[in-house]
């Protein structure tokens, strides 16, 4: 698990290689990642946007950004959390991702860039 805290917002990531959807002979490796966003601050917040940097070990870097996460812009109360699962494809079977969420405090409209910890995407058989 990879974890990072920004201004009381804790982001945790767990990854999993999806062998049944991957095709190594065609250089297609599929990973899922489960994100948990915990609001340990004293403010209600809303997740407005996300930005990802995706790195494949062949040197290719992709940027992905947009509104919300998986079609939602969740409001997270103090002491509450939001979880979702998404995915990523790589060509080499080894890579990493990092990024941030743009979150707004509901009480005063302050916008905060909440860091998503850098995490690895590695096919298990590549680790041997």
């Amino acid at each position: 698990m990879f974890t990072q805290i920004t201004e009381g917002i804790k982001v945790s990531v767990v990854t999993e290689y999806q062998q049944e959807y991957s095709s190594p002979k065609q250089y297609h490796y599929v990973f899922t990642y489960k994100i948990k966003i915990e609001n340990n601050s004293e403010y209600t917040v809303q997740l407005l946007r996300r930005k990802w940097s995706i790195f494949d070990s062949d040197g290719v870097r992709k940027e992905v950004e947009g509104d919300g996460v998986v079609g939602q812009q969740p409001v997270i109360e103090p002491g509450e959390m939001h979880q979702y699962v998404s995915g990523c494809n790589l060509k080499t079977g080894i890579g990493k991702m990092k990024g941030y969420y743009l979150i707004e405090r509901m009480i005063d409209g302050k916008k905060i860039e909440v860091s998503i910890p850098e995490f690895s995407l590695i096919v298990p058989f590549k680790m041997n």
Side-chain angles (χ1 to χ4, degrees):
M1 179 182 297
F2 305 86
T3 301
Q4 190 157 353
I5 300 171
T6 306
E7 294 195 36
I9 308 298
K10 181 179 178 181
V11 179
S12 302
V13 184
V14 175
T15 65
E16 187 175 353
Y17 173 58
Q18 299 297 317
Q19 181 176 353
E20 61 274 16
Y21 299 108
S22 298
S23 182
K25 290 181 181 178
Q26 280 79 39
Y27 304 101
H28 182 76
Y29 300 89
V30 178
F31 296 87
T32 56
Y33 51 90
K34 181 177 183 178
I35 304 270
K36 180 167 42 168
I37 304 165
E38 298 175 79
N39 184 358
N40 296 323
S41 78
E42 58 188 79
Y43 304 102
T44 300
V45 299
Q46 183 174 19
L47 192 156
L48 301 176
R49 297 186 59 79
R50 60 110 174 40
K51 182 171 183 178
W52 289 104
S53 296
I54 305 166
F55 304 88
D56 209 327
S57 65
D58 63 359
V60 173
R61 177 183 175 179
K62 294 186 281 187
E63 299 285 329
V64 177
E65 61 182 303
D67 293 336
V69 290
V70 293
Q72 300 179 332
Q73 291 181 312
V75 173
I76 310 169
E77 300 287 340
E80 298 293 319
M81 69 172 174
H82 179 77
Q83 294 186 89
Y84 71 95
V85 176
S86 192
C88 175
N89 301 325
L90 296 177
K91 289 185 176 181
T92 65
I94 300 174
K96 62 183 178 179
M97 293 176 64
K98 66 178 181 176
Y100 68 85
Y101 298 118
L102 182 64
I103 290 182
E104 181 178 18
R105 285 194 330 203
M106 302 300 285
I107 193 168
D108 59 7
K110 179 180 178 184
K111 293 188 174 55
I112 304 163
E113 285 188 3
V114 173
S115 296
I116 303 167
E118 182 174 287
F119 57 92
S120 302
L121 302 165
I122 303 173
V123 174
F125 64 79
K126 296 243 181 198
M127 296 179 68
N128 294 331

